[in-house]
Amino acid sequence: MRAFLPFMLRAGLTALVAANTACAQVAPQMANAGVKPNIVIVATGGTIAGAGATTANSATYQAAKVPVDKLIAGIPELNDVANVRGEQTFQIASESFTNDRLLQLGKRVSALVKEPGVDGVVVTHGTDTLEETSFFLNLVVHTDKPIVVVGSMRPGTAMSADGMLNLYNAVVLAGTPSARGKGVLVEMNDDILTGRDAAKRINIKTNAFASAWGPLGMVVENKVYWFRAPVKRHTMQSEFDIDMLTTLPEVQIVYGSGNMAVEMYDAAVKAGAKAIINAGVGNGSVPNYAVDTLKKIRAGGVHVVRSSRVADGFVIRNSEQPDDQYDWVVAHDLNPQKAKILAALALTRTNSTAELQRMFWEY
Ligand code: ASP
C-alpha cells in the first residue's frame, strides 16, 4: 500500500486539477486524426518500476518491483493520449542485462512493431544500461514506427518521482506521427534523445541523460517539439536485423588509466573477446608500454577498437596511433559501451577491419 502512496495522492488531486485546466488542454497529436494511437509498453524493470521504504528514499530503494499494469494504472492520463497495454517482458535491474536479454527484448519489440494494430512501442528500462539497449534496438529493429525507451532516476514511491511524467511523455512521443522514421528514441526529463548517443551522464539527478550532440527535441504538456534529426543509419536503413540474430559475439571493454596493467587486455582475450574496446584516455590513446600487447592481440585475430573514456568529442583515426598500420578501428564518437554493442553486431556480419571501420563511420 505504502509503495503506491504518491500514485494515490496524485490520483486524489487529479479531479481538482482537471477542473482548473480543462480549457487550457493542448490537443495531443495522434497517430490517425481523431483516433488514439495503440501503444504497447514493454516493461523490463529498473527504477521506473522501483520501490523504496519511505518517500524520502530517492536513491535507496529496490529496482524492478512494480508490475507494468500498476505503473499504467498510476497514470490515468495515459488514457487521454493513447490506447495503452502493458507487457512484462522481464523485471530486472538493468545492470543485470546480458546479451540474451538484449536479443529477447529486441525480438519481442520487432514482433510488436510488425503488428498492424500497434502504432508505437515504449520500453521501460533501468537507466544503468539504457544507453546500450536503446542503441542496440536502434540498430536491429527494422521499422519506422516509434520505439521509445524510458526510465526514471527516482522510484515511484519517492517525493518528486520522475517516472510518471517520463512514461507519460514516452507514450505521447510513441504515438506521435512525427516520431516515425527517427530511429529509437530515449525520452527522459522532457528531452527527446536519439538512442544512438543518449548516455547516462549523472548518476543521481533527474537530468541524468544527455547526448554530446544535444537533444533532438522535447515533449512538453502533450506536445512534441523537434529541433534536429539523426543523420546516422538506423532501423529501416540498418544492415543488422534482430530476426536473423540468435547470439552475439563476445566483446569486452578495457578501461585506460595512468599506470594501467596491460594484462587487462590479455584477460579480455582469455574471456573470449573477439574485439576489445579500448576505453582509452584522451583520444583513445594507448600507453607506449601497451602497444605491443595490442599489436599481438590483433595479430591473433582479435579486433582492437579505440574509443575514449572522455564523455564528449570523438576519436580521430590515425591520430595518436597509426590505426592503418596496426589494423585497428576507431569508434568515432561512440562511447565504449555503445562501441561494444556496434562491434558485437558488426562481427556477426564481417571480420574485415575495413568493414568494421565503415560501420563505425556509418552508424
Ligand atoms: N540500477 C537501476 C537500473 O538500471 C538504476 C535505474 O534504473 O535508474 O535498473
Side-chain angles (χ1 to χ4, degrees):
M1 176 66 106
R2 193 206 218 150
F4 302 104
L5 190 60
F7 289 98
M8 290 167 58
L9 284 175
R10 249 191 94 267
L13 287 173
T14 302
L16 196 71
V17 175
N20 291 331
T21 57
C23 4
Q25 294 288 336
V26 178
Q29 296 177 306
M30 294 174 179
N32 304 299
V35 179
K36 287 193 285 186
N38 300 318
I39 306 299
V40 183
I41 300 179
V42 175
T44 72
T47 296
I48 195 165
T54 75
T55 55
N57 285 120
S58 61
T60 307
Y61 52 85
Q62 281 191 291
K65 280 286 166 211
V66 183
V68 64
D69 290 342
K70 276 252 162 34
L71 293 181
I72 293 171
I75 316 173
E77 293 87 346
L78 290 176
N79 293 322
D80 300 337
V81 294
N83 302 312
V84 173
R85 75 177 157 91
E87 277 191 21
Q88 194 74 52
T89 305
F90 19 87
Q91 182 70 298
I92 58 172
S94 74
E95 58 268 34
S96 301
F97 255 74
T98 57
N99 284 350
D100 285 346
R101 296 281 194 192
L102 273 184
L103 291 165
Q104 187 189 340
L105 176 64
K107 284 179 190 295
R108 185 62 197 134
V109 171
S110 171
L112 283 169
V113 292
K114 286 194 181 85
E115 288 182 21
V118 171
D119 297 305
V121 171
V122 170
V123 177
T124 61
H125 201 289
T127 60
D128 287 349
T129 62
L130 190 151
E131 61 200 88
E132 280 102 318
T133 298
S134 58
F135 189 38
F136 179 74
L137 296 175
N138 190 56
L139 292 171
V140 299
V141 183
H142 286 208
T143 185
D144 68 346
K145 291 183 184 176
I147 298 168
V148 182
V149 187
V150 65
S152 77
M153 292 301 291
R154 296 175 181 152
T157 46
M159 285 184 276
S160 289
D162 53 333
M164 280 190 290
L165 184 56
N166 285 352
L167 184 52
Y168 175 76
N169 284 346
V171 169
V172 167
L173 182 59
T176 299
S178 59
R180 289 181 85 112
K182 290 195 169 65
V184 172
L185 301 168
V186 171
E187 169 55 42
M188 289 286 292
N189 200 40
D190 301 350
D191 282 336
I192 305 167
L193 302 155
T194 161
R196 176 189 182 270
D197 43 45
K200 191 171 185 179
R201 299 292 198 88
I202 304 170
N203 65 355
I204 299 283
K205 294 160 73 175
T206 52
N207 61 339
F209 279 77
S211 155
W213 313 114
L216 302 180
M218 289 182 73
V219 182
V220 182
E221 293 184 347
N222 251 345
K223 282 195 115 181
V224 175
Y225 299 86
W226 297 104
F227 299 102
R228 51 188 110 240
V231 296
K232 300 289 187 179
R233 288 173 72 177
H234 59 74
T235 54
M236 301 288 276
Q237 302 85 36
S238 175
E239 65 205 271
F240 312 111
D241 183 352
I242 187 70
D243 297 337
M244 311 299 289
L245 295 171
T246 50
T247 176
L248 289 174
E250 196 64 40
V251 177
Q252 290 301 331
I253 299 170
V254 176
Y255 198 89
S257 62
N259 195 46
M260 71 180 292
V262 296
E263 289 80 4
M264 303 301 281
Y265 295 114
D266 296 316
V269 176
K270 223 165 155 194
K274 302 287 177 272
I276 294 174
I277 311 298
N278 180 55
V281 296
N283 192 359
S285 303
V286 176
N288 56 5
Y289 53 84
V291 168
D292 280 349
T293 301
L294 280 180
K295 280 167 73 177
K296 239 180 268 156
I297 284 172
R298 178 67 201 111
V302 174
H303 285 280
V304 175
V305 181
R306 291 198 302 119
S307 178
S308 175
R309 69 178 194 178
V310 180
D312 291 347
F314 55 95
V315 175
I316 296 171
R317 190 168 173 84
N318 293 322
S319 153
E320 292 281 353
Q321 294 294 332
D323 297 296
D324 287 349
Q325 188 188 326
Y326 295 166
D327 202 32
W328 295 349
V329 173
V330 294
H332 198 20
D333 64 325
L334 295 177
N335 70 24
Q337 51 274 30
K338 303 266 188 190
K340 180 175 175 174
I341 294 290
L342 179 54
L345 285 169
L347 288 170
T348 65
R349 312 269 307 171
T350 184
N351 200 28
S352 139
T353 308
E355 272 292 279
L356 286 178
Q357 187 61 72
R358 173 187 66 75
M359 292 170 184
F360 271 92
W361 295 140
E362 292 183 1
Y363 293 92

